[in-house]
Amino acid sequence: MEWETSLQTTDLPKLSDMIQFLTRRCQALEASTKKAQFANISTDSHNKVHGRFISTHLSTNKIYCSLCKGDHFLEKCEKFIDMPVDRRRQEVISKRLCLNCLRTTSHVAKDCKYGTCRKCKRRHNTMLHDDNCRHDQTVQFSSAPVEPKREEQFAIAVNYSSVRPSFSDVLLSTALVHVYDIRGNIYECRVLLDSASQSNFITTSLARRLSLKHEVDIPVGGISSAVTHVQESCEVRIKSRLNNFNVEIECLILDKITQKLPASSLDPKRFTIPNNIKLADPNFHVSNEIDLLLGAEVFWNLICVGQINISKNQPCFQKTHLGWIVSGRLPEQSKSVRTSLGSFAMEEISNAVSKFWKLEETDSSRQLNPEEKFCITHYANTFKRNEEGRFVVTLPIKNDQLNKLGQSRNIALRRFLTLERKLTRQPILMEQYSQFMKEYEDLGHMKLVSEDEEVSVRMPNFYLPHHAVIKESSVTTKLRVVFDGSAKTDTNISLNDILMAGPNLQEDIFSILTRFRIFQYVLSADIGKMYHQVLIDPSQTSLQRILWRPHASENIRTYELATVTYGTKSASFLAIQTLHQLAALEEHNFPVAAKIVLRDFYVDDLLTGADTKEEALNIRK
């Protein structure tokens, strides 16, 4: 703001002007810092509000120690430094200071911008870190007890790896199981059974193959208070290879769960395997990757009655729903130092540095998962253009999911009658709603379905409930009709449940706005009714049926929406992909326009520009 105020003309400033401004500001700040006198004006006042005392602390920006009243911050106070950690914490709490910066009472640690503990990365000052406290939580001050939020982060305890001197080899329990991807396809994977883990884990590579994940932020802790943050999780259905046992679990996603198990392949002749048992992992002695870890949540449900101990020199065989697992110590000594494996490998510094640089990268491109790749390929293979040049696309439906759609007409009918009663009580709203639907029909965005077509079985159908969304600030359309693709049928499956969302093709809005500011001449535009410009293949419009009548005295009629419809899961992908496809097809005729379409559109809004007036006029044309 000071920079813009300092500009004397409307001419575009030069870089040298900015550097001179910054130099003057730095010199002024340095001079004011030298002249500043350390002082403090603080007052504690107590005002009783609703039976509670609220403590306020007013201070200037002068440096001041709340403990010894000296001209330094609390963390520089020798008296404070000499205190043990628990006493420091008590001192900070008693003065109601922020546990993170130790400088103010105006905010709590979770809102502090100062940074985090250098040892554990939690929201407290490093001087308050206690190595002996396994669950060091950030404290927030309040005049009344604060109920814990359900969304608070929590630490999950698991085992880490450690190095120990020569001991006998220990076998950890592994098994081969079947897992299902998002389309119901079966994959075989190798799991590690760990009763000491509070959570289940899956590798990134397997989760990507299954196309299952959603974002979380959960700290995972292990030995020596080491903590790593998990950013993604997924729900996985697991089935035994040998029987009908299956379970659905939630797994945290990690790049690597542990190293290969066992650490090196073992001689199968060392084992005496009982006859007539089916091993959960027939190759338990072969060193191989671990794809999935099952923790205590599942472990004890897997155990069955049956255990075989052949001798002290042999591991134990335990019966489970996944088959017989092998676990225990082998007497044979290792000549070299071995790695003792738990359920979770500590992250190497190189991996942490690699992740840091990934966060700093400006390239927003990412790898598409199998479902997103399928959507791109499906679009390319099925889109077409009619005689008007309009794009006709097909909905990306998950394999073998269409037949799971149940009956939806009765549900849509009940919701329509409820909507109609509401509209009847508001005549102006009713008129606007009717006008919207009439325009919808007049433009060909929906068509009336005859009684014969309604009962035909040419394809499964879905009736979309709809309602009004009012936006008074809109200059064009204050009322819009929104369709509910997530409404459940009588089989508890909705249209959105069987549709694929497709990849996010949207250009980064930050890049668009930043680029928009550098142009001398700018243009702003939007695509009118963008979704409605893209037609749905007639063979699939039965999946977009609605019920409507303009007056309660008329019969309720069935319509089918002929265009991409807001409220369906794949609508955004289909509309934006169509825009990109148009740019690709017409690039040879309109090279400038094609470049701008791919670069400067945010959904249906365009922000672009040029450095000359002639260029801008050419873009507009």
Side-chain angles (χ1 to χ4, degrees), residues 387-495:
E387 59 279 1
E388 296 178 337
R390 286 188 188 274
F391 281 76
V392 182
V393 301
T394 59
L395 299 171
I397 300 174
K398 297 175 183 177
N399 291 338
D400 304 324
Q401 296 294 306
L402 191 58
N403 56 359
K404 293 183 180 180
L405 271 184
Q407 297 297 320
S408 56
R409 191 181 190 282
N410 291 337
I411 298 172
L413 178 60
R414 287 198 300 270
R415 289 182 56 175
F416 172 72
L417 294 176
T418 302
L419 169 70
E420 190 176 54
R421 287 193 292 270
K422 176 184 176 181
L423 295 176
T424 302
R425 294 192 296 268
Q426 304 178 59
I428 297 178
L429 184 62
M430 179 68 174
E431 182 180 356
Q432 292 176 343
Y433 206 100
S434 298
Q435 288 177 352
F436 186 97
M437 298 300 277
K438 186 177 186 304
E439 181 186 19
Y440 222 75
E441 187 174 7
D442 291 345
L443 292 174
H445 299 161
M446 71 178 188
K447 60 180 181 179
L448 183 64
V449 177
S450 65
E451 293 183 3
D452 293 338
E453 287 181 310
E454 187 173 359
V455 298
S456 68
V457 290
R458 63 188 171 102
M459 194 174 184
N461 56 64
F462 183 84
Y463 287 78
L464 293 158
H466 49 91
H467 61 276
V469 173
I470 301 173
K471 188 177 181 181
E472 295 293 345
S473 60
S474 175
V475 179
T476 54
T477 308
K478 296 186 181 298
L479 179 141
R480 294 181 183 274
V481 176
V482 177
F483 302 94
D484 185 4
S486 296
K488 301 294 185 181
T489 63
D490 57 4
T491 60
N492 203 36
I493 301 294
S494 69
L495 176 62

Side-chain angles (χ1 to χ4, degrees), residues 3 16 25 125 148 199 289 291 338 344 355 389 393 415 442 459 461 481 515 544 549 564 567 609:
W3 157 246
S16 58
R25 289 290 295 123
N125 194 282
S199 191
E289 299 287 352
D291 303 306
R338 305 286 299 205
F344 185 75
K355 288 182 179 179
V393 301
R415 289 182 56 175
D442 291 345
M459 194 174 184
N461 56 64
V481 176
R515 187 163 49 246
Q544 297 188 159
R549 62 181 175 187
V564 168

Side-chain angles (χ1 to χ4, degrees), residues 508-519 600 607:
D508 174 37
I509 192 171
F510 181 80
S511 301
I512 295 175
L513 293 175
T514 304
R515 187 163 49 246
F516 182 69
R517 291 176 64 95
I518 71 173
F519 295 123
D600 295 336
L607 288 177

Side-chain angles (χ1 to χ4, degrees), residues 493-551:
I493 301 294
S494 69
L495 176 62
N496 282 343
D497 288 336
I498 70 168
L499 290 179
M500 301 182 195
N504 179 15
L505 304 175
Q506 185 55 63
E507 179 70 20
D508 174 37
I509 192 171
F510 181 80
S511 301
I512 295 175
L513 293 175
T514 304
R515 187 163 49 246
F516 182 69
R517 291 176 64 95
I518 71 173
F519 295 123
Q520 289 273 36
Y521 298 88
V522 294
L523 297 89
S524 171
D526 75 349
I527 302 174
K529 298 180 175 60
M530 179 180 183
Y531 283 12
H532 300 163
Q533 309 304 328
V534 186
L535 301 175
I536 294 294
D537 191 278
S539 65
Q540 291 185 327
T541 53
S542 61
L543 293 172
Q544 297 188 159
R545 287 183 174 179
I546 65 167
L547 300 175
W548 170 247
R549 62 181 175 187
H551 301 288

Side-chain angles (χ1 to χ4, degrees), residues 112-157:
C112 185
K113 310 299 185 188
Y114 188 71
T116 57
C117 174
R118 292 191 297 273
K119 295 183 178 179
C120 69
K121 305 305 179 185
R122 298 185 70 82
R123 281 286 178 183
H124 60 240
N125 194 282
T126 307
M127 298 186 72
L128 302 182
H129 177 81
D130 188 354
D131 289 326
N132 297 322
C133 182
R134 292 184 61 189
H135 302 288
D136 190 16
Q137 298 291 337
T138 298
V139 177
Q140 299 179 17
F141 302 119
S142 175
S143 55
V146 179
E147 292 295 328
K149 296 181 180 179
R150 292 183 179 180
E151 298 174 353
E152 285 184 322
Q153 294 181 347
F154 57 92
I156 295 175

